[in-house]
Amino acid sequence: MIRFNKVNKWFGRDHHVLKNITLEVKQGEVVVVCGPSGSGKSTLIRTINQLEPVNDGVIIVDGITITDPKTNINKVREEVGFVFQHFNLYPHLTVLENITLAPIQVRKMEKAAAEQLGVELLERVGLLNKKDVYPAQLSGGQQQRVAIARGLAMRPKVMLFDEPTSALDPEMIGEVLKVMQDLAESGMTMVVVTHEMGFAREVSDRVIFLDHGEILEDAKPEDFFTNPQHERAKQFLRQILAPMHQ
Amino acid sequence: MNYHWDWGIFFKSTGIGQEIYLHWFITGLGWTVALSLSGWLIAMLLGTVLGVLRTLPQRSLSAIGTAYVNLFRNVPLLVQLFVWYFIVPDYLPEPIQTWFKQGLKPEISGFISVVACLGLFTAARVCEQVRTGIQALPRGQINAALALGLNPWKTYRHVLLPQAFRIIIPPLTSEFLNIFKNSSVASLIGLMDLLAQTKQTAEFTANLFEAFTLATLIYFTLNMSLMLMMRWLEKRVKVPGLISLGGK
């Protein structure tokens, strides 16, 4: 579904953020990307829908070479849902309008059909009673669930999550992870940048550990958590799973 | 000072048919409103297009907007009016030139010159406000629109401009009032707007103070009503729960 072949990216001349990334995500797979801050994980996920262009290498999504300058990138973006750390809902539109905007404008769906779809998705994320309010009237967790519904409204083949719970108060993280878990169980292909190791352990099929722009580990979660290969990964796990939390 | 105040002069006959001086003020106000609203329409349409151009990543397109703003904002309004009225018509292509100079009534060709002048001058100012309104929005708004496959036109139309206009209503109000005040330059090329009618009344009646007091009151009332109307609009389009659109 997604394939990276020797992808490189620099910020400016000296900062090599992605180094020779080669990676494959199969249909229906849930892949968690983790690593210390500044390791390039957000950049990596943003290259999948070209919110960040790359300098070198090939990325293929759903059979389309998106690094080819001749590719109409909007066509690929229609198939790839993206959930941001800061939600980025449109503040001037109601919850339902946030969800129906792209289906109506991009997919050319009838308004009534788009609203029907919006209602179904809001029911799925448990926010049907909020359909006519504005984003600023919702809590962070509710906004993020709306953002997930907005991404799903395009009926994407892949969903990307860029630290979806990092901006949330702790008591709201669970409700968002629950929605993501349901989505994973429904068979959605997902790439998730997150520090939620519980989610990685229980929901994901694979964990990728990134450090200084390099993939150091690419393993099943049980192997990654019990037997990491690299010293950097061991150190990262020690810090993130600090004994105080055990 | 030995000035004889007479507030009754507005109801005295001008000597032309049944007309009283108040009629002059009313027709003058009509011209002022017509000039200003037509100019505003041009300023809003052109200013929005230019403001959007200035926010585009393509250098050549944003340079067009920048050049326009520099040209129209750095030349006095009055100079611009004389250019549009005295110079530009001489350089129009032939059939249009004759039509403009001889085919049209003088007040219509004057009207067109003033509307072009006010519209293009104010467009530069509207452009800057639209630009700042768009740039005040968080980068995440563009990313969210792009990630959903919206093309640039739809991103501006549905995501950026509706938010930018809400932010800039207060400074736009001030431009909107300015265009009504600036429209008084029309009197300098002989168009009988509110100011020209006031001067004419003052000359005909010698009641200079009354005439200008009434003109002041009319301009003031007009602009106060416009300001209240814009405040009402601002409240009407306010997004519930949102105090400020700026921020992260």
Side-chain angles (χ1 to χ4, degrees):
Chain A
M1 182 58 76
I2 304 171
R3 183 177 304 184
F4 280 66
N5 194 8
K6 297 199 175 97
V7 170
N8 282 284
K9 180 176 174 68
W10 285 266
F11 282 140
R13 204 175 295 164
D14 307 321
H15 190 25
H16 197 172
V17 270
L18 295 178
K19 295 176 188 157
N20 256 333
I21 302 287
T22 297
L23 174 68
E24 192 179 347
V25 179
K26 294 197 187 71
Q27 181 154 3
E29 236 184 342
V30 177
V31 175
V32 160
V33 180
C34 63
S37 84
S39 59
K41 45 193 197 305
S42 280
T43 309
L44 176 73
I45 199 171
R46 280 162 186 260
T47 62
I48 301 175
N49 68 356
Q50 293 284 286
L51 283 179
E52 291 282 359
V54 299
N55 300 96
D56 181 26
V58 177
I59 304 174
I60 299 170
V61 178
D62 191 30
I64 302 170
T65 309
I66 60 165
T67 40
D68 182 343
K70 287 192 288 271
T71 301
N72 177 2
I73 191 63
N74 282 337
K75 284 280 158 226
V76 182
R77 284 174 177 158
E78 290 172 25
E79 309 298 333
V80 179
F82 200 103
V83 175
F84 297 86
Q85 182 177 1
H86 293 291
F87 334 130
N88 296 348
L89 293 178
Y90 310 128
H92 62 297
L93 300 179
T94 64
V95 163
L96 189 61
E97 288 166 344
N98 261 278
I99 297 173
T100 58
L101 179 69
I104 293 171
Q105 293 300 327
V106 181
R107 288 259 194 257
K108 309 285 174 211
M109 217 185 234
E110 294 287 331
K111 189 164 182 252
E115 283 177 352
Q116 179 58 38
L117 172 65
V119 164
E120 283 165 23
L121 289 167
L122 281 172
E123 203 157 21
R124 190 162 160 191
V125 300
L127 288 171
L128 188 52
N129 58 334
K130 301 287 185 191
K131 78 179 167 69
D132 296 317
V133 309
Y134 287 85
Q137 295 166 303
L138 298 178
S139 73
Q142 290 170 332
Q143 289 192 47
Q144 196 59 301
R145 281 145 69 197
V146 173
I148 295 172
R150 178 174 71 173
L152 291 175
M154 292 295 280
R155 300 210 181 285
K157 295 183 173 141
V158 183
M159 282 289 280
L160 309 175
F161 296 81
D162 185 8
E163 303 207 29
T165 57
S166 301
L168 296 178
D169 290 336
E171 74 268 25
M172 292 171 184
I173 292 175
E175 63 189 70
V176 172
L177 292 180
K178 178 74 177 60
V179 168
M180 291 167 62
Q181 184 169 5
D182 291 346
L183 193 57
E185 281 162 9
S186 75
M188 177 64 77
T189 310
M190 292 163 64
V191 180
V192 185
V193 172
T194 187
H195 294 299
E196 292 299 326
M197 290 300 121
F199 179 85
R201 206 191 305 245
E202 278 150 43
V203 182
S204 78
D205 299 307
R206 263 163 71 205
V207 178
I208 284 168
F209 177 77
L210 210 63
D211 189 33
H212 291 107
E214 265 179 301
I215 294 180
L216 293 188
E217 306 264 349
D218 181 349
K220 289 189 178 309
E222 51 270 29
D223 297 335
F224 177 71
F225 287 108
T226 54
N227 190 19
Q229 302 299 307
H230 279 78
E231 188 48 41
R232 282 292 294 135
K234 286 177 194 163
Q235 204 181 337
F236 175 76
L237 282 173
R238 272 200 298 277
Q239 278 163 359
I240 206 155
L241 306 171
M244 268 182 74
H245 297 291
Q246 294 287 310
Chain B
M1 201 175 68
N2 206 356
Y3 185 78
H4 179 66
W5 289 87
D6 178 10
W7 294 104
I9 65 123
F10 302 120
F11 301 98
K12 286 186 182 148
S13 169
T14 59
I16 308 163
Q18 299 286 307
E19 209 175 46
I20 57 175
Y21 286 110
L22 190 62
H23 285 135
W24 287 8
F25 284 85
I26 294 167
T27 54
L29 177 63
W31 278 100
T32 292
V33 170
L35 286 166
S36 309
L37 289 183
S38 315
W40 185 245
L41 190 70
I42 294 175
M44 282 298 287
L45 292 174
L46 184 62
T48 303
V49 172
L50 291 165
V52 166
L53 282 186
R54 288 206 70 178
T55 62
L56 292 178
Q58 292 87 347
R59 286 270 172 78
S60 52
L61 291 176
S62 66
I64 297 174
T66 312
Y68 184 95
V69 169
N70 284 334
L71 180 64
F72 282 85
R73 220 169 45 164
N74 292 325
V75 177
L77 179 65
L78 210 46
V79 174
Q80 293 190 30
L81 176 63
F82 290 159
V83 169
W84 290 111
Y85 186 66
F86 292 116
I87 300 173
V88 171
D90 284 347
Y91 290 91
L92 291 173
E94 201 19 74
I96 302 174
Q97 185 178 146
T98 317
W99 170 77
F100 189 81
K101 287 180 171 171
Q102 286 150 28
L104 289 176
K105 288 185 189 164
E107 68 258 36
I108 300 298
S109 57
F111 180 85
I112 293 172
S113 296
V114 176
V115 167
C117 167
L118 288 174
L120 299 183
F121 175 81
T122 311
R125 310 179 60 93
V126 171
C127 162
E128 284 302 86
Q129 286 163 7
V130 170
R131 174 178 72 85
T132 47
I134 293 170
Q135 286 173 346
L137 299 174
R139 173 77 204 169
Q141 290 292 308
I142 298 181
N143 282 343
L146 293 179
L148 282 162
L150 269 76
N151 61 29
W153 156 249
K154 284 178 175 160
T155 301
Y156 276 94
R157 162 74 184 77
H158 295 285
V159 176
L160 302 180
L161 286 175
Q163 296 184 58
F165 276 119
R166 283 181 172 85
I167 299 176
I168 62 172
I169 288 178
L172 269 187
T173 302
S174 136
E175 283 317 317
F176 191 38
L177 303 192
N178 274 343
I179 205 170
F180 277 85
K181 290 180 276 180
N182 287 341
S183 72
S184 59
V185 296
S187 64
L188 288 163
I189 59 160
L191 218 59
M192 294 311 281
D193 76 327
L194 182 55
L195 179 61
Q197 295 285 13
T198 306
K199 283 195 286 192
Q200 184 168 264
T201 304
E203 280 157 21
F204 274 52
T205 62
N207 291 84
L208 182 87
F209 288 4
E210 291 87 339
F212 276 94
T213 307
L214 181 61
T216 306
L217 278 175
I218 295 175
Y219 275 118
F220 180 80
T221 313
L222 177 65
N223 277 350
M224 278 304 278
S225 339
L226 293 172
M227 202 178 80
L228 294 174
M229 197 187 83
M230 292 294 276
R231 283 228 183 112
W232 170 83
L233 179 72
E234 190 182 353
K235 281 217 182 86
R236 227 199 99 106
V237 301
K238 192 172 165 267
V239 176
L242 204 65
I243 301 155
S244 156
L245 279 160
K248 55 180 181 222

